[in-house]
Amino acid sequence: MTAVTDQDHTEHPEHPEHPGHSDRDAGGPSRTDAASPWDDGLIARRVNGSADEEQGGAAARTPVPQAVAPLAYDPWLRTRLDALRELVGLSRTRLDNRTLAQAGRVIEESTARRRLSGQHTVVAIAGATGSGKSQLFNALAGVPVSETGVRRPTTAAPIACSWSDGAASLIERLGIPPRLRRRPLQATADADERLRGLVLVDLPDHDSAAVQHREQVDRVLGLVDAVIWVVDPEKYADAMLHERYLRPMAAHAEVMFVVLNQTDRLPGEAAEQVLDDLRRLLDEDGIVLGEYGEPGTTVLALSALTGDGVGELRESLARFVAERGAPARRISADVDIAAARLWPVYATRRRTGLSEEAREEFADRLADAVGATATGEAAERAWLRNANRACGTPWLRLWHWCQERSEPSTGRVTLRGQPDEEATARQRVEQAVRTVADRASAGLPAPWALAVREAAVRGSQGLPEALDELAVRAGLPPGRPPRPGWWPLAVLVQVSMTVLQFVGGLWLLAQIIGVMAPNLGVPVLLMAIGIVGGPLVEWSCRVAARGPARRYGQEAERRLREAASGCGRARVLDPVAAELLRYREVREQYGRVVGVGTGAGRG
């Protein structure tokens, strides 16, 4: 029987598959022993030596390069990965790199794994010092390719064993050099074709005293498709194993095996009792156990030393590898973990956004700050004042004329006359911005709430000054308010009343000086009509002017309110709405990542 090193013939066709090469038959030194990249000193010489003794001078087979198909993800997983990539892209300007680091690594690793072989499944064997993982590794390979012994730690670097060709790129991704790559015993590999496609990796001890060993374990565990955790009766409940590895990897239950080794050391029914306790601990870790045909972690008991139970593990591995689904399940579990860790920065259980009521209240606050109501009232008074001037008696108009000579024109309203009024208006604007920002950010995750508030604050810079300019431009127009169509008639009637007063007065004067015959009735009547009719016309015009004056004031108020609302919308509400829209976009992408709306995954 020939022990073959784990040389990938696709990558290294110049090296023979069997160490018993024709050069040895010819009496010369073996090129495989001297130059093979798979040799690693004592272990390799031991394997090659046993192979030479059994194989003798058999001719080496010529390797045939094989095309390896890359890994293909199912549509659902592709959708989740695309959504995660879009989610990270939309969030880079809102979330720090540390928060997005794991999601970025999942995207990178999924892309890297997809380019590699989809016909191979990389399974790591991990365990604590003295758990017998290297012994189990050798038992599965059918040949001692990983060194075992009493010296701790024995496994100083990961060792890979491949059951078929085409796995070189996968092994290189793990950072395992050629000298640490093996092939199983040829007779064992031929007898168990169902393991074809398996790449088994023996890891250093996860509890090693050497820091670099633990770092290698953590690095490789993040790259393999599945893992076999080997525990022994003494350390199966070790807190480090459960808290640092098993509990955080609970989502990877479908790509994990937990093996209780060294059952030959347990008397009677002790092995079953320890196995039941191990299942209990795994259940407390949140790991779903694959019992009764359900998907989950496979838990087995065996003895790598005696071989008891190794066959059952081999059968489970054969079914697992034949499914070719471990890489996709591993990536899907990675996406689940990344999504769970991103939950606090994306998910919310309440309705978010700005209601129409909040928008209207913000507009009302800005309108109050610019004095829209006061402007409307001033416009109404100006309209009434203009009506009184146009339709009043000459004596009233004379009085208004004298008043205008002594006071400035009141056609334009000054809204910000005093420093304290300006300060009050600025405070109102700031309060309005704070209120709308608080309402818009209510219920949002902390990073997005902060982004909304920052957008509101940035938009509010210069808002009071802009509102001041609007108050001047959109307030009362210069000059007098417009006049309705009936004003000329009212003015004509008022002039007629004045004319009657003058005619009656002149008539009386002519009678007094003897120019005309005495007749007091007619001139007195004319003067009475003029004196009474003038104020009556003035009062009638004032009553008739109230409706147009009110509408004029309301129009002035509406115009200023719309101007203030437009300014606030452009400077504050639109940036806030943009942040809320971005959050809704990332929330939708996050829903696709966790499986909402795709028929699977968490809600």
Side-chain angles (χ1 to χ4, degrees), residues 39-229:
D39 293 350
D40 66 341
L42 175 62
I43 301 175
R45 288 195 297 274
R46 184 186 302 156
V47 175
N48 291 340
S50 62
D52 289 341
E53 292 175 2
E54 295 189 21
Q55 180 67 17
R61 292 179 296 179
T62 303
V64 179
Q66 300 179 359
V68 180
L71 178 64
Y73 296 140
D74 59 81
W76 175 65
L77 181 55
R78 288 200 304 271
T79 298
R80 298 184 69 197
L81 289 171
D82 292 342
L84 184 61
R85 184 176 294 104
E86 185 71 15
L87 181 68
V88 172
L90 289 172
S91 305
R92 289 211 179 274
T93 59
R94 300 298 181 270
L95 304 179
D96 57 89
N97 292 333
R98 184 177 179 181
T99 303
L100 299 173
Q102 184 177 16
R105 285 195 297 269
V106 172
I107 295 172
E108 293 174 359
E109 296 303 334
S110 65
T111 303
R113 183 64 181 90
R114 186 176 57 186
R115 296 193 184 103
L116 304 178
S117 172
Q119 306 302 314
H120 291 80
T121 303
V122 183
V123 182
I125 297 184
T129 303
S131 61
K133 56 183 179 56
S134 296
Q135 200 171 43
L136 178 60
F137 183 86
N138 294 337
L140 292 172
V143 62
V145 295
S146 186
E147 186 177 2
T148 61
V150 297
R151 181 174 59 88
R152 304 296 180 210
T154 299
T155 306
I159 298 175
C161 182
S162 176
W163 264 255
S164 59
D165 299 335
S169 56
L170 282 170
I171 300 175
E172 289 173 359
R173 178 170 176 255
L174 303 180
I176 301 176
R179 65 183 182 84
L180 296 179
R181 304 176 190 178
R182 306 284 182 268
R183 292 293 291 272
L185 187 67
Q186 188 62 36
T188 302
D190 292 341
D192 202 350
E193 274 294 317
R194 289 180 301 173
L195 289 180
R196 186 173 184 82
L198 173 64
V199 179
L200 203 60
V201 181
D202 186 19
L203 297 179
D205 303 329
H206 69 74
D207 61 348
S208 173
V211 177
Q212 60 270 27
H213 292 181
R214 299 196 301 270
E215 291 177 348
Q216 288 192 70
V217 171
D218 295 342
R219 179 182 60 82
V220 176
L221 284 178
L223 300 175
V224 297
D225 302 324
V227 58
I228 301 174
W229 289 102

Side-chain angles (χ1 to χ4, degrees), residues 12-52:
H12 305 283
E14 70 276 14
H15 299 300
E17 182 179 0
H18 299 286
H21 192 259
S22 57
D23 285 350
R24 183 179 295 277
D25 297 341
S30 171
R31 289 198 302 267
T32 304
D33 290 340
S36 172
W38 302 90
D39 293 350
D40 66 341
L42 175 62
I43 301 175
R45 288 195 297 274
R46 184 186 302 156
V47 175
N48 291 340
S50 62
D52 289 341

Side-chain angles (χ1 to χ4, degrees), residues 238-319:
D238 180 56
M240 178 181 179
L241 170 65
H242 288 268
E243 294 177 4
R244 182 173 180 179
Y245 292 103
L246 294 180
R247 197 167 299 162
M249 295 182 66
H252 296 86
E254 294 186 39
V255 292
M256 284 200 303
F257 295 79
V258 179
V259 174
L260 176 63
N261 192 18
Q262 302 176 6
T263 55
D264 56 292
R265 297 169 51 190
L266 298 174
E269 298 181 354
E272 287 298 327
Q273 295 175 356
V274 173
L275 193 62
D276 289 342
D277 193 46
L278 175 60
R279 289 193 179 99
R280 178 187 63 81
L281 292 174
L282 294 176
D283 184 67
E284 292 179 356
D285 292 334
I287 297 177
V288 178
L289 303 182
E291 300 175 329
Y292 312 110
E294 298 177 355
T297 296
T298 301
V299 182
L300 299 172
L302 54 81
S303 173
L305 180 63
T306 64
D308 184 27
V310 175
E312 184 179 358
L313 175 60
R314 191 187 301 273
E315 289 290 330
S316 298
L317 273 177
R319 292 192 299 270

